[in-house]
Amino acid sequence: MTGALAPSRPLNAMDLCDRCGAQAYVRVVLPDSGELLFCAHHSRQHAEALAKVAVEIQDETERLSPGGGTRRDA
């Protein structure tokens, strides 16, 4: 069965890491329509295994860098 994925909404402060409860910056969409949320630390720790099973990985860790999350229009 194939189909288009719904666009992922941006992660916010209410989205918490499933491993430790910190703010989530990574959403991993699984084949069975489930999802996992991870903080930057745990997404890096489990990156190899997650890449093997994920349908999509929404990574917003760039928001943690100085200047991250600022929008620049061309």
Side-chain angles (χ1 to χ4, degrees), residues 16-71:
L16 303 177
C17 177
D18 290 326
R19 183 75 175 116
C20 69
Q23 184 173 349
Y25 288 92
V26 176
R27 172 182 285 119
V28 178
V29 180
L30 302 171
D32 63 357
S33 301
E35 71 177 22
L36 296 171
L37 300 175
F38 290 100
C39 63
H41 166 77
H42 285 112
S43 70
R44 285 189 305 269
Q45 184 179 21
H46 301 292
E48 188 176 326
L50 293 171
K52 291 178 183 177
V53 298
V55 172
E56 176 187 359
I57 297 177
Q58 177 184 348
D59 186 341
E60 297 184 10
T61 55
E62 75 279 352
R63 294 181 4 205
L64 294 169
S65 301
T70 54
R71 184 175 174 189

